[in-house]
Amino acid sequence: MQPDIEQPQPRIPRLLAIDDSPMIHRLLKARLVGERLEIHNATSGPQGLEVARSLQPDVVLLDIQMPGMDGFAVLRELKDDPATRDIPVIFLSGASEPESKIRGLDMGAIDFVAKPFDIGELKARVRSALRIRLLIKMLAQRAQIDGLTGLWNRTYFDHRIAEQIAHTQRHAGGFAMIFCDIDRFKDVNDTHGHAFGDHVLEEFARILVQSRSGDIACRYGGEEFAILLPRTDAMEAMAVAERFRTRLRT
């Protein structure tokens, strides 16, 4: 499967509000009703962390002053967890002390809105946070694409094969992997130059993406490539590999 980084995420953006006040949650739902948002609530720090990890929201509105686990402690946990580290956090607080704002921003919050908040300002800040979230996702995806061939790179491969192994351990079925390289590729570079070698890699990648829907072609490194084949047994994988070999010969 060839990467497609131009397709937007189809789902509605998710907003998670973490605040101990039920009134704030009712107010947010009422005032943000016209926004294209899926709004979720949590009334404590621990609950907010649990929901954030399972929901993976696109933006978090986080109250500073909550009993037990305050907003600073929640923010620290969010930023320490790789699964939630990149979620934009906007602090909501009745406190207007500069020290609180500075501390929150230094810890990784992207914005700060004081209560009672102006709904127009809040909407604008949420939209800004969603744009930041989208840019972060796009940059992260681009970082997993090989610049020469356009295939997924080694980082993406390592991530997906770990997912496949975990899925296989939980569910029935399995997957296959084709690992291949281009024979005597160094001789190609030495004889015809690296520009021609790059063209060979690009053409080989083009062959690999002409596979079945759902297969994942990656450039493993240099002239080495890997193709993950979900829900595929050994015989099917051999047939796919043979088709690649035949196309390469022609």
Side-chain angles (χ1 to χ4, degrees):
M1 183 174 63
Q2 190 172 18
D4 184 355
I5 61 175
E6 301 301 328
Q7 293 182 352
Q9 294 295 325
R11 69 171 176 82
I12 296 175
R14 297 167 178 166
L15 180 148
L16 171 62
I18 307 175
D19 196 302
D20 64 307
S21 170
M23 183 183 69
I24 291 294
H25 291 299
R26 289 195 296 270
L27 181 63
L28 287 172
K29 278 200 170 182
R31 297 296 179 85
L32 296 176
V33 68
E35 298 294 300
R36 186 176 176 271
L37 285 172
E38 184 181 299
I39 300 175
H40 299 261
N41 300 327
T43 55
S44 69
Q47 183 190 22
L49 288 171
E50 182 179 351
V51 174
R53 287 165 180 150
S54 61
L55 181 68
Q56 289 294 298
D58 298 288
V59 61
V60 170
L61 299 182
L62 176 60
D63 185 29
I64 291 181
Q65 297 167 330
M66 293 186 292
M69 189 179 200
D70 67 12
F72 293 115
V74 174
L75 180 61
R76 185 178 300 108
E77 292 269 353
L78 290 172
K79 295 306 175 183
D80 285 345
D81 188 340
T84 56
R85 181 181 301 155
D86 294 330
I87 300 173
V89 176
I90 299 174
F91 263 140
L92 295 176
S93 177
S96 58
E97 297 88 357
E99 293 79 8
S100 295
K101 295 182 180 180
I102 292 169
R103 182 183 176 191
L105 293 171
D106 282 344
M107 290 178 63
I110 66 162
D111 216 336
F112 195 106
V113 178
K115 300 176 185 176
F117 47 79
D118 177 82
I119 194 61
E121 177 189 3
L122 180 62
K123 287 180 178 180
R125 293 183 187 276
V126 167
R127 293 188 198 114
S128 177
L130 291 174
R131 287 193 293 269
I132 291 172
R133 177 64 164 165
L134 179 59
L135 288 172
I136 290 172
K137 285 182 176 181
M138 291 175 63
L139 289 171
Q141 193 174 40
R142 287 182 183 274
Q144 298 182 89
I145 295 175
D146 178 63
L148 175 64
T149 63
L151 300 180
W152 298 110
N153 63 17
R154 171 72 178 274
T155 300
Y156 184 83
F157 169 82
D158 290 341
H159 171 71
R160 286 304 300 265
I161 197 169
E163 283 188 343
Q164 287 292 323
I165 291 171
H167 184 272
T168 300
Q169 290 172 339
R170 292 193 305 268
H171 308 282
F175 72 97
M177 181 182 74
I178 299 172
F179 195 84
C180 52
D181 65 1
I182 301 175
D183 290 341
R184 296 183 293 278
F185 184 70
K186 184 178 183 301
D187 293 342
V188 172
N189 278 333
D190 291 343
T191 303
H192 302 284
H194 287 276
F196 183 79
D198 288 348
H199 177 68
V200 170
L201 293 173
E202 291 170 344
E203 286 300 302
F204 188 58
R206 184 181 60 80
I207 291 171
L208 295 184
V209 299
Q210 296 172 2
S211 187
R212 308 171 309 169
S213 175
D215 291 348
I216 303 164
C218 308
R219 185 182 181 190
Y220 193 78
E223 72 274 21
E224 297 175 329
F225 297 82
I227 305 95
L228 292 175
L229 302 91
R231 301 176 299 279
T232 302
D233 60 27
M235 293 300 295
E236 291 174 312
M238 289 175 63
V240 173
E242 179 61 22
R243 287 198 292 272
F244 288 148
R245 192 184 68 83
T246 301
R247 290 172 187 163
L248 182 62
R249 290 183 64 184
T250 58

